[in-house]
Amino acid sequence: MTWRSLPRMRPRSADETLAGLRRLRRDGRLRLWLLLALPIPLAVIALALGRYEISLATMFQAVGRALVGQPAATAAETLVLQVRLPRILAALLIGAALGGSGAAFQGIFKNPLVDSNILGVTSGAGFGAALALLLTGSLPLASLAAFICGLAAVLLAYLGAHAHGGSHTLMLTLSGILVGSFFGALTSLVKILADPLSELPAITFWLLGGLSDVTWRSLPLLFLVTGLGGALLLALRWRLNVLSLGDREAAALGLNTRRMKLLIVGVASLLTAAAVAVGGVIGWVGLVIPHAGRLLVGPDHRRLLPVSLSLGAAFLLVIDTLARATLPRETPLGVFTGIVGVPVLFVLLRRGRSGAGWVE
Amino acid sequence: MKRLDVQGLAFAFHPDRPVLRGISFAVAANEVVYVLGPNGCGKSTLFNCLSGVYAPQGGRVLLDGADLTHMAARRRAHYIGLVPQNHAAAFAYSARDMALMGRAPHLGLFETPGRADYEAADAALAAVGLSHLAARPFNELSGGERRLVTIARGLAQESDVLLLDEPDAYLDPKNQHLVQETIVALARQGRAFLISSHSPNNALLYGDRVLLLEAGRVVADGPPPEVLTAAMLSAAYGAEMEIIYESNNGAQRARAVLPVRAGHDGHDRR
């Protein structure tokens, strides 16, 4: 293109800085790959950890036997394959879903204080599960109801915003907060109606989140949704940069902002709903993980999104392993993520605003 | 491109308070057109309608006969680009990543920028003299430097027509000159630029034509010396203005527009 050959008025050491930029990018790439690979060694370690100690040799034997299709030979091997492995996979998938959807929500709402619950997914899911537990007491049904009500809440928030002047971010935020508090109130109502000796504890534990009931049967839907949704978000990762400039600028840059936002909100909500359906309400991951990601690899969603997926997976795996292996009584995950997540967020805030990759 | 035709463009946020009341004008390739007018006359709204940020409620925008108002956003962004007034980003993208976003209309839904896009972004940053700040976070730059980065983003978009909403705001005299000379040079290579500004002097110095807007209407459209007269500007801005002329072998040439201060006789300066 001819205009690129225009005289440049201030060539001051341009080549030097571009070389510097390339060097930075090379260093950044190693860090990026290390972060992306992080969940793998953590998963191997987590498989060996627990109140019942299992040697690494037994663990590899069990996994090896399963891979060639032989049944588990010992109780330890059964424990590894039937209890720990599905639980670890669930932690990885849920963490990735929450981290990735948190990054996507923060991107389109161009606000680093937003988390996956901004449109009321989690509140809706909580209500669905609580209602199902009250009416049937069945955990699989609670899971299904959570998934459906979570998505229904987002739909309601979206339609509510749409009725009042389109898909503008501020309207969407307000609508999401309203829907969230509405379902929160309904959940409280369900709790009041529940039997305080049997149903109420079940509901409370579900709402605090946990993976102790995970079996292989919990995994296919979670795997499918996280796999497809994560892939779609990854494919759209650069568009998220453009969308985060705001509706007007993105529209002038040729994006169909309404359709793009609907797509990303839909995918991120599906991810969150699937995660909540299996793990219950696990807060903080969707808020803290994208922040940590921005500190480590910067705000560019081309890096931030994959890193949020892997960092979310790693974080939740560590939290869940701590929850099941350290304390004598299993602690709900929602409690643990809050206790670990809040100090982490404070540390991140201390690291400085510009370092965190966002403004003021 | 050959010609941008705007016919009877109308827009209102509230039905009883129209912002644009039937705006018509044309821009040819190679032209640099300044849009002047008092605050609130509809300059930014006009640009937002032209670039598809707002849907016009009446009229048409034609580029070589193709109607831009009913075109898919991505295709329209090949024809017309916008450098908006505000310059804040929620996240601290580097200047280079910001300029790179101008490439959005050239990339498919699932594509990420490739080598050619980086080359376009780097060339655009060089054209506004900001290569040395490429790696710096956008929101750590000064207001003027951010302005230059968003202008670079507009250049990297490589649209036929580029709308610049007050590109001279926040810039020091040198950078105002740099940006406007770059724009004139680019226009001579077959593109067209519409520039909104509050500086009649910049229109006089760099413009091929001036559109004067008042309350959502075009009140004057022509070469700068014809539109930028004391009478026209005084009426448009509601403040007395005078033109300073330069005499060259008997021929008079308008060189500057200045407001007249009460109690100061402007003619003393001749």
Side-chain angles (χ1 to χ4, degrees), chain A residues 1-4 6 8-10 12-14 17-18 21 24-25 106-107 110-112 232 235-242 244-245 248-249 251-256 260 263 294 299-302 354 357-359, chain B residues 53-54 73-74 77 82 84 86 89-93 96-98 100-105 107-110 112-113 118 120 123-124 126 129-132 135 139-140 153 155 157-158 174 178 182 185-186 189 191:
Chain A
M1 268 141 282
T2 45
W3 65 274
R4 291 184 195 162
L6 281 172
R8 283 148 195 196
M9 293 207 157
R10 192 158 55 175
R12 194 162 80 195
S13 70
T17 46
L18 275 179
L21 207 64
L24 267 176
R25 284 170 63 86
Q106 289 185 3
K110 38 179 189 157
N111 184 340
L232 202 55
L236 293 168
R237 65 196 187 280
W238 187 68
R239 297 264 141 176
L240 266 171
N241 282 357
V242 185
S244 77
L245 295 177
R248 291 180 185 191
E249 291 192 38
L253 287 169
L255 262 66
N256 185 331
M260 283 292 293
L263 181 64
R294 256 179 232 112
D300 184 345
H301 288 87
R302 279 175 294 173
S354 62
W358 45 279
V359 193
Chain B
V53 174
Y54 299 150
R74 189 176 151 212
L82 171 70
N86 60 333
F91 302 105
Y93 301 118
R96 195 187 199 206
D97 282 337
M98 282 297 274
L100 197 58
M101 293 191 207
R103 304 301 296 169
L107 292 165
L109 191 59
F110 297 134
T112 55
Y118 274 102
L130 277 197
S131 297
H132 62 296
N139 47 26
E140 284 178 13
R153 189 180 75 197
L155 297 179
Q157 191 171 338
E158 295 180 333
K174 181 204 135 193
L178 164 66
T182 306
L186 290 175
Q189 296 171 5
R191 297 212 258 168

Side-chain angles (χ1 to χ4, degrees), chain A residues 126-331:
Chain A
F127 166 70
L131 189 67
L133 287 173
L134 177 73
L135 297 178
T136 68
S138 144
L139 275 174
L141 272 180
S143 213
L144 188 68
F147 188 66
I148 292 169
C149 286
L151 292 179
V154 176
L155 194 66
L156 210 60
Y158 197 85
L159 293 178
H162 219 65
H164 294 276
S167 54
H168 285 299
T169 311
L170 199 64
M171 247 350 270
L172 212 51
T173 312
L174 181 61
S175 184
I177 290 172
L178 290 178
V179 168
S181 359
F182 178 69
F183 278 106
L186 285 182
T187 307
S188 300
L189 184 67
V190 170
K191 280 176 161 177
I192 297 288
L193 296 174
D195 177 351
L197 289 180
S198 57
E199 292 155 359
L200 188 57
I203 291 174
T204 306
F205 268 99
W206 199 94
L207 288 177
L208 288 171
L211 298 178
S212 48
D213 297 316
V214 167
T215 62
W216 281 107
R217 270 191 307 178
S218 328
L219 289 181
L221 179 70
L222 181 64
F223 182 77
L224 196 72
V225 172
T226 309
L228 289 178
L232 202 55
L233 286 185
L234 278 177
L236 293 168
R237 65 196 187 280
W238 187 68
R239 297 264 141 176
L240 266 171
N241 282 357
V242 185
L243 269 179
S244 77
L245 295 177
D247 285 1
R248 291 180 185 191
E249 291 192 38
L253 287 169
L255 262 66
N256 185 331
T257 50
R258 183 181 294 182
R259 204 184 298 163
M260 283 292 293
K261 277 205 289 194
L262 185 61
L263 181 64
I264 290 171
V265 162
V267 172
S269 302
L270 262 172
L271 282 175
T272 312
V276 175
V278 174
V281 179
I282 300 165
W284 289 101
V285 181
L287 180 66
V288 172
I289 291 303
H291 276 285
R294 256 179 232 112
L295 267 177
L296 292 164
V297 298
D300 184 345
H301 288 87
R302 279 175 294 173
R303 286 163 174 236
L304 178 61
L305 205 75
V307 164
S308 293
L309 288 166
S310 79
L311 218 53
F315 179 73
L316 199 65
L317 178 64
V318 169
I319 294 285
D320 182 54
T321 307
L322 287 175
R324 72 180 162 84
T326 53
L327 298 176
R329 210 198 124 123
E330 175 132 358
T331 322

Side-chain angles (χ1 to χ4, degrees), chain B:
Chain B
M1 82 161 280
K2 292 190 186 70
R3 191 180 154 87
L4 174 78
D5 261 303
V6 179
Q7 301 171 348
L9 210 62
F11 184 84
F13 291 105
H14 301 286
D16 49 339
R17 263 183 286 142
V19 183
L20 303 179
R21 312 160 184 249
I23 293 215
S24 299
F25 62 91
V27 180
N30 303 332
E31 261 191 318
V32 177
V33 179
Y34 277 78
V35 183
L36 301 183
N39 287 127
C41 71
K43 296 186 297 292
S44 295
T45 307
L46 171 65
F47 281 12
N48 281 329
C49 282
L50 291 178
S51 59
V53 174
Y54 299 150
Q57 289 147 357
R60 296 196 301 172
V61 182
L62 303 174
L63 198 125
D64 294 346
D67 192 342
L68 293 183
T69 41
H70 298 292
M71 196 176 268
R74 189 176 151 212
R75 214 178 128 213
R76 180 175 49 224
H78 282 268
Y79 291 119
I80 200 158
L82 171 70
V83 176
Q85 241 180 60
N86 60 333
H87 49 276
F91 302 105
Y93 301 118
S94 70
R96 195 187 199 206
D97 282 337
M98 282 297 274
L100 197 58
M101 293 191 207
R103 304 301 296 169
H106 300 274
L107 292 165
L109 191 59
F110 297 134
E111 274 183 285
T112 55
R115 185 184 291 266
D117 302 302
Y118 274 102
E119 280 170 8
D122 288 341
L125 279 176
V128 297
L130 277 197
S131 297
H132 62 296
L133 298 180
R136 288 271 297 277
F138 179 73
N139 47 26
E140 284 178 13
L141 300 176
S142 74
E145 288 163 343
R146 290 187 208 177
R147 210 76 257 257
L148 291 173
V149 173
T150 46
I151 291 169
R153 189 180 75 197
L155 297 179
Q157 191 171 338
E158 295 180 333
S159 54
D160 290 328
V161 181
L162 189 61
L163 315 169
L164 297 113
D165 205 352
E166 293 186 31
D168 42 13
Y170 305 102
L171 295 186
D172 65 30
K174 181 204 135 193
N175 278 331
Q176 286 192 32
H177 179 68
L178 164 66
V179 162
Q180 286 166 115
E181 283 289 47
T182 306
I183 285 168
V184 170
L186 290 175
R188 300 302 174 250
Q189 296 171 5
R191 297 212 258 168
F193 291 85
L194 266 167
I195 299 171
S196 85
S197 173
H198 284 302
S199 165
N201 288 315
N202 283 338
L204 205 55
L205 196 54
Y206 305 100
D208 298 315
R209 237 173 71 215
V210 174
L211 285 180
L212 193 59
L213 253 58
E214 222 188 301
R217 286 199 182 87
V218 178
V219 292
D221 177 357
E226 284 173 28
V227 175
L228 302 174
T229 61
M232 199 81 93
L233 290 171
S234 301
Y237 289 111
E240 206 184 330
M241 309 285 271
E242 63 173 336
I243 316 291
I244 310 299
Y245 292 93
E246 160 192 82
S247 286
N248 202 349
N249 297 332
Q252 280 207 328
R253 199 155 73 101
R255 289 292 289 159
V257 179
L258 290 175
V260 178
R261 288 183 68 190
H264 286 65
D265 184 358
H267 297 281
D268 283 349
R269 288 192 207 96
R270 284 224 184 156

